[in-house]
Structures are given as C-alpha cells and as structure tokens.
Amino acid sequence: MQNAQCNKMLWTNRPPHADHRVWGDEDEIVATAVEYARRRIMQAPDPVTGARPAADLALAAGTAITPSGIGGTAALKLFDQVLAPATRAQNGPMNLAYIPAAPTRAALAFDTVTAAANIFAGTWEAGAGAIHAENEALAWITQLLGWPGSAAGCFVSGGTMGNLSALITARRAAATTRPRPRSGWKVVCADSAHSSISSAARAMDVEIVTAPVDERGHLTAAAVSAVLDSTTGVFAVVATAGTTNAGLIDDLDGIADACERHDVWLHVDGAYGGAGLAASSVRHLYIGIERADSFIVDPHKWLFAPYDCCALLYRDPAPARAAHSQSAHYLDAIDRDVHNPTDLALHLSRRARGLPFWFSLAVHGTDRYTRAVEQTLTTSRLVAEAIRTSSHLRLMTDPELSVLLFERPGWSPQDYASWSARTAASGATLCVPTQWKGATVLRMAFVNPDTRAEDVIDVLRTLR
C-alpha cells in the first residue's frame, strides 16, 4: 500500500510542464517540416538541380550527425540549401532522361500522410485498412491486364524486387512438378531485358539463356520456341512490355503460346511500359499479356506515383504464397486466408507504398489517368514527327510507346555528351545519349503529361 501511494505521488506530483520525453519538444520542428513539405509539393521543380562531386558536397554539407545534434532548424536548412539542390528534379517537364517520374501533387501529399501514419503493411492484422486500399489500386491494374478477379499481388520497392520475387515464384512452381535439372535452372530473355533480370539470376544462382531479337529489337515467339526446344531446365521466360532503352513491346501473344506448349512460366516486365495498358491507342500492342503468369509495373514511372512503388501481380497467387510465406512462432497468428503482402514477395517488413498511388487514383479517377497517359503518347508522337521531318535529325525507329531514339548525323559521341551537358546546365532539358545498334544516339522518354511538344522541339533546334 505504501509503495502504491509512493508511485501515485511520483506521477501526480510532477511539475505540470516538466518535459520528460527522450526526444524533447519536437512540436516546432514538426510544424516547420510539414510546412516545408507543403511548399515543396506546390512549387515547380528546379531544372538545374543535379549531382555535385562527392568531395565538394561533403565540404558544403559539413558534419550533421554529432553527439549533441545540430537542431531542427539547422538540419532543415542544410537539406534545403545544400542536399536537395544536389538531387535531380525527377518531375521536371523537360526531364526526358532515363525513365523520369511525374507524381501528381495529390500522390506526393499523401506520401507524407502515409509516412505520418507509420503503418506496417505486411500483414492484414497490422495494416488491414492500408492493404485494402492497396488492393483496390492493384485491382484496377488487374482489370487492365484482363486477368480474373482472383488475381492478387502487392507493392514492392521497384522493378528489381518485383522481377526477383516473380522469378523466385516461377522456380518454386517448376520445382513442384519436376526435379532440379542436372545442368541447373534457366531463365530465357532477350538482351533487351532489363538489367534486373540478370541481377535476379545471379542472386538465384540460375543461368540466363539469351534469345535473339528481330531486326527492330523485339523478342519473338520463334526465337523463344527455338530456345525452349533445344534447352533443358527452363523454368521461366521473361518478356518485356516496354523496353527501357527503346520502349518496345515483345511478341507477348506468340511468346505465351510457346510457354504454354512447354509448360513454362511467363513473366512480363512492364516496369515502364505497363502503364500503356491504360491507353486505348496502344492497348492492341499488349495482346497476350492476359496469359502471363506474373507481371510488374512501376507506378513511380508512368503512373504518376512517387518513389518507390512497383506493383507485382500474379494471375494465380497460390504459387507466390507457396514460395514466399515465412514461418516463425511470432507469425503463427497471421490470417492466411487473406492475401498478406508478406506472402507474395521477398520481403516481410514493408511500408504501405501503394497508398499514395491509391489516393491519387481515388482523387482523380481512372479516366483522368487514361487521359494523362494518352497525353504523353501524343507529345512523343508530335516530337517524333518533328524529328522525322527535320533536315538535321534522323529518327532511328518508329516509336511504339513514349521513348524516342534519334541521331544528329555527323556527330561524334563527344558531340552528344557536350550538348547533353550544356542543355542540362542551362536547365533547357535533360536528355542523355544511349547506344542503339552499336551507335551513339540521343534518347527521350516522355512520362510527364505537363511536357509540351513545342518546348522540346525548340530545344531540338539547338542540335544544328
């Protein structure tokens, strides 16, 4: 009784304003950081931001992690004035390099909400509401694929994790029907497949068998059939719906025929190009994708979500659950009658990275998403036509999606590099060279509906 009274006094006799929290009073810096985030979301991206030499950046940043800390004001100022300007503005309308990103403001805003909610979205017990919303966004993609309502998936960090998880599932599925081949398991893909396929193969200790592409760069049914007819141990074929370098879509329907004949898993990597499923003007290019066993698309590329967000989907999720479900005493109470994201990919802990995508879809509607994808396709076609009719440029191949490859005849690799550096430094555009059939060319990727064709065409005139 005496101890109880003593404890009561300890709690009730504290000075009313005594701050006993480990982290102290964070109210002011939280308010400042939230306001800073609001301003960043609303302001236009700075087109001249970009990387700095490591030594230069280290000198400018100084040391922020110290025993006593530098305080919220100083840390935020350091980020705003030194660190943020040393990053590339991915959502700039004239950023046409690599595969940029153009998230909606709604998605960016809800990314802050998602972070503030601090949701563990790995299991239904912990994150049911978030997982329900993510599944609604995944269902829209499933409908675009033409898959049954029983299909399921989850959001992972990016195409690399999505491709790896899908191929692990494919190998597990093959192993349930036949023993491991004496020569080892194999994956068939084209040289044009994303580098993450080779990375996944190394991680899984399986062999890549490369099938040749046609004269335009597509993986064809004939090439896949020839490899499957002559090669043992193939457990998966990877086709691409929108190659990163040229935006090409492989012969999905014919490849699906070949996979069915040989009872081989078909995985379609649509990390960039999968968004084109939403556009009626190019939907015919994806015929056969409804027969794939697994599929990925990165909403942080052409579906207007912030980093990082990859949708990984299975036409039948049962093999994925068999491949990825983890077992431990502390996981015994997990409801396995629902699709837990932890059971469908190579992960356990995960944030609800699909929520910003879901929120933006809910805010704007899928019709506006369709219009946005079509807008970027229209822009790329207008620029392609300007290049095609130009007296000083040459289009390398007719675009299928929103990637353009073109050259300035007579220029050397150094000429391309110099022009690219000048236009980046001036903020006119970010456009970098690539290789196409052994030659150095320029490449533009259009994923931002705010990019204006006339602005790009004006920049192209500087290539004279």
Side-chain angles (χ1 to χ4, degrees), residues 164 171 198-206:
L164 174 60
R171 183 176 63 178
S198 294
S199 177
R202 290 194 300 271
M204 297 170 64
D205 193 24
V206 301

Side-chain angles (χ1 to χ4, degrees), residues 21 90 101 116 138-139 141 147 236 239 268 287 428 433 448:
R21 291 172 292 183
Q90 290 296 319
L138 292 170
I141 300 174
W147 283 4
V268 175
I287 292 174
N448 192 332

Side-chain angles (χ1 to χ4, degrees), residues 98-257:
Y98 313 110
I99 302 291
T104 65
R105 288 177 173 177
L108 287 171
F110 208 75
D111 200 28
T112 65
V113 174
T114 300
N118 193 34
I119 299 168
F120 171 70
T123 62
W124 189 260
E125 287 78 2
I131 296 169
H132 169 83
E134 288 185 316
N135 286 346
E136 188 177 12
L138 292 170
W140 177 60
I141 300 174
T142 298
Q143 293 167 11
L144 294 178
L145 288 166
W147 283 4
S150 56
C154 63
F155 289 97
V156 295
S157 59
T160 295
M161 181 56 72
N163 285 331
L164 174 60
S165 297
L167 289 177
I168 288 173
T169 299
R171 183 176 63 178
R172 174 68 170 74
T176 62
T177 61
R178 57 188 188 272
R180 174 184 170 85
R182 296 181 66 178
S183 59
W185 293 111
K186 301 176 181 68
V187 175
V188 175
C189 66
D191 274 337
S192 55
H194 192 266
S195 57
S196 62
I197 303 302
S198 294
S199 177
R202 290 194 300 271
M204 297 170 64
D205 193 24
V206 301
E207 181 184 346
I208 289 284
V209 180
T210 302
V213 296
D214 65 12
E215 66 280 358
R216 286 206 60 202
H218 304 93
L219 181 63
T220 66
V224 170
S225 295
V227 173
L228 294 179
D229 287 341
S230 60
T231 308
T232 60
V234 175
F235 69 90
V237 172
V238 178
T240 305
T243 56
T244 303
N245 201 40
L248 303 176
I249 299 177
D250 291 334
D251 176 16
L252 302 179
D253 205 32
I255 294 171
D257 284 339

Side-chain angles (χ1 to χ4, degrees), residues 13 27 49 133 161 262 282 295 301 325-326 377 394 401 448 461:
N13 292 341
D27 292 358
T49 60
M161 181 56 72
H262 291 82
V282 294
F295 168 80
K301 287 187 168 71
S325 292
Q326 299 189 34
L377 288 166
R394 185 165 75 94
L401 295 176
N448 192 332
R461 294 191 177 102

Side-chain angles (χ1 to χ4, degrees), residues 27-44:
D27 292 358
E28 183 177 351
I29 189 57
V30 167
T32 302
V34 170
E35 172 58 21
Y36 176 79
R38 186 195 67 81
R39 292 198 311 270
R40 281 299 299 264
I41 291 169
M42 297 304 295
Q43 72 186 25

